[in-house]
Amino acid sequence: MTVRHGREFLTIPGPTTVPDEVLGAMHRPAVDIYASDLPALTDSCLADLARVFRTGGHVYIYIANGHGVWEAALSNVLSRGDRVLAVGGGLFTHAWAEMARMNGIEVELMAGDSRRAVEPGAVEARLRADTAGALKAVLLVQVDTATGVVNDVRGVRAAIDAAGHGALLMVDGIASIGVVPFEMDAWGVDVAITASQKGLMMTPGLGFVAAGPKARAVHQHANLRTQYWDWTFREGPLHYQKYCGTPPEHMLFGLRRSLDMLLEEGLEAAWHRQALLARAVRAAVTVWAEGGAIEFNASEPAERADSVTTVRTAAGASPAALLDYCRTRCGVVLGIGIGPLDGKAFRIAHMGHVNAPMILGALGVVEMGLRALGIAHGRGGIQAAVELLADAVPP
Ligand SMILES: *Cc1c(COP(=O)(O)O)cnc(C)c1O
């Protein structure tokens, strides 16, 4: 017996649900790259991406996933043998650090506790000790999608400033930009990156980098630059230089629609919607956790991300069985635990094109699964989520 017929709901932390309007905007013939209005389309996307990054700096669009723009960011501002400080205990900090190493950068990893946010005080102390200014950049992931922890970008900026250090602040906002507040210029972020397939409600395949004035100055003498990623080349006068080749036409058609949807709702309203839905998820998980078999991975409530909730399961309460039940019996695809949490956790994403029925439906299915599989859980998780939303959303 299953109750899965109908539309499957993908609640993994990327790719997220792509709105039908966005899919529809992509369903059209290719256009002539030389005799079309593509340059105007590119300009409008760049201008609106700058609004999303909250920057007056330069934005670059790459045909790439998140890993691609990690490399784009590193190669444009660093040189072989430069030292950088990667902070945070999440999987994505480790992976970005590893990429930097493969690119010839010396990386110092300050991992800390993987269930906690980065401590700005520790960053400040490390930078104060670097009196020679050997560290050229601090790499920070705003929301670590594996652990479900959100880091304090402003706090890390303040730590760099308090230490009087000149390192660039480079932020991975792939699972946070468009989802939680991010203010590139006001917070003093030098390089920010994001990708199309999470908060921006688009298919995977586009990556975005925003660079502030200090990063663009350092860029002039960075020697890891390569032609495909190079900002200077992409700033050239010809439209094809913006993509270093054929523009990803259909993805731009889709991106245009997804940016319209996001900006029509309003960035602040979108942040607020996703925060409320995240709180509903946390209300349910808090109640379920009373049964003792599941718990939040992020140990500190204030450090739980509004993009994704990572739920650890006790030995004996198999996340694989729960994931399988939800998918094959109910048509809800939860995220698996990744990295050190492989086989030990599941994830519920609440970013991008999500609303109350999608999130309440997903929670209802998880609760069904917990019950059907006999996994101990507190009763009333759904009720708690419904009450939280009812109190937060007035008539
Ligand atoms: C998804 C994600 C990435 C990797 O993006 P890909 O598109 O899979 O390369 C990097 N950082 C964060 C924070 C992410 O959520």
Side-chain angles (χ1 to χ4, degrees), residues 292-304:
I294 68 171
E295 62 173 344
F296 287 102
N297 179 60
S299 51
E300 197 57 43
E303 297 171 359
R304 292 174 187 152

Side-chain angles (χ1 to χ4, degrees), residues 13 65-68 70 92 141 143-145 172-175 195 197-198:
N65 59 14
H67 285 68
W70 274 345
F92 290 93
V141 176
V143 168
D144 183 83
T145 325
D172 170 345
I174 295 174
Q197 79 273 25
K198 300 191 183 181

